[in-house]
Amino acid sequence: MTAPMFDQWRARSPYYDDSHEAVCDTVRAFVAREITPHVDEWEAAGQLPRDLHRKAAAAGVLGLNYPEEFGGTGSAFDLFHSLVQTEELARPGAGGICASLMTHGIGLPPILAMGSAELQRRIAPDVLAGDKIIALGITEPGGGSDVANLKTRAERKGAAYIVNGAKTLITSGVRADYITLAVRTGGPGIGGISLLLVETDRPGVSRTALAKMGWHSSDTATIHFDDVEVPAENLIGPENGGFAGIMRNFNGERLGMSQQANAFARICFEDALDWARQRETFGQPLIRNQVIRHKLADMVRRISATQAWIDQCAWSVLNDKAFPGDFALLKVQATQTMEFCAREACQILGGASFVRGSRIERIYREVRVMAIGGGSEEIMFDLASRQYKF
């Protein structure tokens, strides 16, 4: 191959030009300098250093495609530039780094879309500068994808809300300074849900770190709220109007996760191809075996088809034609592509894929979180069937 699979797909796509390659070069240099040398250290530590957020902000990584008035790059970049950035952040093959460094990508958009001007000015600049970390709190110990039935309660008392309940599996939950919290302020169902911005240093907030199968470098927590007093001005959007903000956030999250999953699939292909070319078995390179070449070709087929769908969905967002069912099925497509490629790469590498420290070993452990996080396959199929009115 004349160029890595990481780069070939953009050169043949109508959606990408020299500006996207410039983003690629910038992020790739940042990753090579500030992330790749430290992956094993951060995987062992179970979290990222806070200083990495500041370095990412200085490199323009945190602020890509965010409003210039808050420290972002402004309107010169679009969703396709963000896809390129996601691709390059996946290059070390450690999903926890992408997830934890970029949690503002799910925690901040509801504030920018629905929050008051005062709340935006108070929160966004510090987050985009890397000085503060923001997380999103939706999943609860008693339920995950069933957002309409969440139990965490916020009762209005005078000029404040009193919050009680718990959230779990919260990415960046140990280090977060802020959490965009889904709470019940009204009756049952989607009509009683609101979003609140909660500062995690408030009395009554406590956290328990969670050990996980994968995403080791991402701090993940269960967060408890015991009579936490939150000023009413921290309400994001109208009271009992938070469900729309949550659903709006999901499309972007699923698109980003799909790009990340496909990037990991590409890594698996690249590392498997490199191994097959170098490894000799029975007196010849592994790549000379037809069964190995067919495995690699099948990986390319799935990766290419998935990327085409990702790009189509991104185009639909930019042209106001987005359809939630597409994003649900895209996420299934992308994570199943990742799972297939991780499995086949392990088969090609054999025992070498079982040793800690390789990209494929890490990616294989992270298949399940990608397939479940942001909505499990089963939920995605059901959501899509309802959207398409089957």
Side-chain angles (χ1 to χ4, degrees):
M1 298 178 69
T2 57
M5 275 284 289
F6 254 109
D7 302 321
Q8 282 190 338
W9 61 275
R10 287 193 299 270
R12 300 196 303 272
S13 170
Y15 298 109
Y16 301 89
D17 56 30
D18 289 345
S19 69
H20 299 92
E21 293 309 310
V23 169
C24 167
D25 292 343
T26 297
V27 181
R28 184 174 296 186
F30 170 77
V31 168
R33 182 180 67 252
E34 302 292 351
I35 294 179
T36 302
H38 308 291
V39 170
D40 291 336
E41 173 190 348
W42 296 340
E43 287 278 289
Q47 62 180 27
L48 305 180
R50 293 185 71 97
D51 192 48
L52 181 65
H53 292 259
R54 299 185 185 95
K55 291 177 179 178
V61 170
L62 293 192
L64 187 70
N65 210 19
Y66 282 90
E68 196 170 1
E69 63 185 296
F70 301 130
T73 57
S75 59
F77 299 95
D78 63 20
L79 188 53
F80 286 102
H81 294 94
S82 297
L83 294 181
V84 172
Q85 175 167 281
T86 298
E87 179 88 7
E88 291 303 317
L89 287 173
R91 182 170 288 271
I97 292 176
C98 309
S100 202
L101 180 62
M102 305 301 288
T103 46
H104 71 292
I106 54 175
L108 190 57
I111 295 173
L112 297 180
M114 301 171 59
S116 67
E118 185 277 330
L119 190 63
Q120 292 177 21
R121 287 192 300 269
R122 176 155 55 94
I123 302 302
D126 283 346
V127 169
L128 295 178
D131 293 327
K132 298 288 186 181
I133 297 171
I134 190 168
L136 178 68
I138 296 177
T139 300
E140 298 184 344
S145 298
D146 189 8
V147 178
N149 289 314
L150 65 84
K151 307 298 183 187
T152 298
R153 187 93 198 169
E155 303 234 358
R156 182 70 182 262
K157 292 192 175 180
Y161 288 93
I162 307 301
V163 180
N164 284 282
K167 301 291 178 176
T168 195
L169 298 171
I170 305 305
T171 304
S172 294
V174 174
R175 298 176 306 134
D177 303 289
Y178 306 123
I179 181 166
T180 299
L181 190 68
V183 294
R184 184 161 302 285
T185 48
I190 63 175
I193 295 173
S194 299
L195 291 173
L196 277 178
L197 188 283
V198 179
E199 297 90 346
T200 56
D201 60 356
R202 289 189 173 276
V205 177
S206 60
R207 305 180 246 203
T208 303
L210 301 174
K212 311 176 298 298
M213 176 193 301
W215 279 13
H216 286 177
S217 50
S218 169
D219 58 298
T220 306
T222 296
I223 306 180
H224 300 275
F225 304 89
D226 299 305
D227 290 330
V228 179
E229 185 175 323
V230 181
E233 56 263 30
N234 281 21
L235 183 68
I236 301 169
E239 185 172 277
N240 298 326
F243 189 77
I246 295 170
M247 292 299 102
R248 179 176 180 172
N249 216 38
F250 273 151
N251 278 354
E253 181 182 7
R254 288 165 187 160
L255 182 63
M257 289 189 73
S258 297
Q259 183 67 62
Q260 186 182 40
N262 214 39
F264 287 145
R266 243 187 293 271
I267 289 170
C268 290
F269 166 81
E270 288 192 335
D271 286 3
L273 174 63
D274 185 57
W275 179 268
R277 285 172 167 170
Q278 296 181 40
R279 177 72 165 173
E280 289 198 2
T281 59
F282 305 102
Q284 66 176 7
L286 194 60
I287 194 72
R288 295 288 295 276
N289 293 281
Q290 185 184 65
V291 67
I292 299 300
R293 296 197 302 273
H294 284 191
K295 285 179 180 291
L296 292 165
D298 202 2
M299 292 163 77
V300 172
R301 174 180 68 87
R302 295 168 190 250
I303 292 167
S304 299
T306 302
Q307 191 63 56
W309 197 0
I310 290 170
D311 290 346
Q312 173 63 26
C313 283
W315 178 89
S316 75
V317 171
L318 295 177
N319 289 273
D320 295 322
K321 298 178 184 293
F323 184 68
D326 290 343
F327 292 83
L329 293 183
L330 171 63
K331 181 179 177 291
V332 176
Q333 169 75 16
T335 55
Q336 288 189 352
T337 296
M338 174 186 171
E339 182 168 10
F340 176 85
C341 292
R343 182 194 184 280
E344 294 298 85
C346 284
Q347 291 301 110
I348 292 171
L349 268 73
S353 70
F354 196 65
V355 179
R356 281 286 178 96
S358 73
R359 296 199 295 182
I360 289 175
E361 183 270 333
R362 284 197 297 269
I363 289 170
Y364 198 89
R365 284 189 286 106
E366 296 179 353
V367 165
R368 292 273 57 84
V369 68
M370 295 295 288
I372 295 170
S376 69
E377 291 179 357
E378 294 77 10
I379 294 293
M380 294 298 92
F381 279 129
D382 191 57
L383 171 62
S385 69
R386 287 185 278 112
Q387 289 285 327
Y388 287 113
K389 302 185 186 303
F390 290 167

